[in-house]
Amino acid sequence: MCWRMCTPQSARVCAPLQPESTMPLGSPHPAPTLEEIRSRTSAVLHCSPCLWQAKAVQQAVKGDRDMLCIAPTGAGKTLTFWMPLLFREDGIQIVVTPLNLLGTQNVNELARYGISACDVRAETATPKLFQVSRTLSDSSQI
């Protein structure tokens, strides 16, 4: 199962890394429909995702297999990282960025939409940060 969507000038491929017959990674969640993904993303994040983004989120929320998505700079990977949070209230999304500034930008942008986030880097990786994260996780607020 491979997808290539959106604009023809940039190949965007999402492919499961495991065959259908393998055991799930964790408790699978019911996957929202593509229309539900597009509708909720538009309502909350004020963006209209491409088909490849919606399919990637559908698989991520379902959570029964690993997945790999490849997309060039500017293709919308950041939105794709955020969208699963709209469908799993108990979810925690970990995004590794190559620059501290990108982490800070993600935190600030998500705050505009009422989504809690933190960027972990040398300056912020304190015991207090991890204690707050653990407390929030234990109470299902992340």
Side-chain angles (χ1 to χ4, degrees), residues 39 46 51 55 65 75 94 96 99 101-102 106 116-117 119 140:
S39 177
H46 311 293
L51 183 57
K55 286 186 174 186
R65 293 182 287 164
I94 298 173
V96 178
L99 302 170
L101 180 60
L102 292 177
N106 276 304
S116 297
D119 58 332
S140 299

Side-chain angles (χ1 to χ4, degrees), residues 8 11 22 31 33 42 51-52 56 71 76 79 96 99 139:
T22 61
T33 66
S42 180
L51 183 57
W52 76 269
L79 178 62
V96 178
L99 302 170
S139 63

Side-chain angles (χ1 to χ4, degrees), residues 73-107:
T73 301
K77 292 181 294 291
T78 301
L79 178 62
T80 309
F81 299 150
W82 296 352
M83 291 190 303
L85 293 170
L86 304 177
F87 299 94
R88 294 185 55 194
E89 293 180 20
D90 63 339
I92 295 175
Q93 196 78 1
I94 298 173
V95 178
V96 178
T97 63
L99 302 170
N100 288 340
L101 180 60
L102 292 177
T104 302
Q105 288 174 341
N106 276 304
V107 169

Side-chain angles (χ1 to χ4, degrees), residues 4-140:
R4 220 174 255 182
M5 311 305 155
C6 291
T7 60
Q9 70 267 18
S10 58
R12 296 174 186 136
V13 180
C14 294
L17 295 177
Q18 300 170 328
E20 299 267 355
S21 61
T22 61
M23 295 296 292
L25 297 174
S27 301
H29 295 268
T33 66
L34 297 176
E35 184 52 43
E36 288 170 332
I37 292 168
R38 286 181 163 171
S39 177
R40 190 171 303 172
T41 301
S42 180
V44 177
L45 300 177
H46 311 293
C47 293
S48 183
C50 295
L51 183 57
W52 76 269
Q53 292 169 308
K55 286 186 174 186
V57 170
Q58 192 175 47
Q59 181 59 45
V61 172
K62 188 176 174 188
D64 63 345
R65 293 182 287 164
D66 288 335
M67 175 187 56
L68 173 68
C69 286
I70 301 169
T73 301
K77 292 181 294 291
T78 301
L79 178 62
T80 309
F81 299 150
W82 296 352
M83 291 190 303
L85 293 170
L86 304 177
F87 299 94
R88 294 185 55 194
E89 293 180 20
D90 63 339
I92 295 175
Q93 196 78 1
I94 298 173
V95 178
V96 178
T97 63
L99 302 170
N100 288 340
L101 180 60
L102 292 177
T104 302
Q105 288 174 341
N106 276 304
V107 169
N108 293 337
E109 189 73 16
L110 286 168
R112 287 185 33 204
Y113 300 114
I115 299 172
S116 297
C118 67
D119 58 332
V120 180
R121 49 192 156 83
E123 299 83 21
T124 63
T126 64
K128 182 179 179 180
L129 173 70
F130 291 103
Q131 183 61 44
V132 169
S133 296
R134 197 173 12 257
T135 301
L136 290 173
S137 180
D138 291 346
S139 63
S140 299

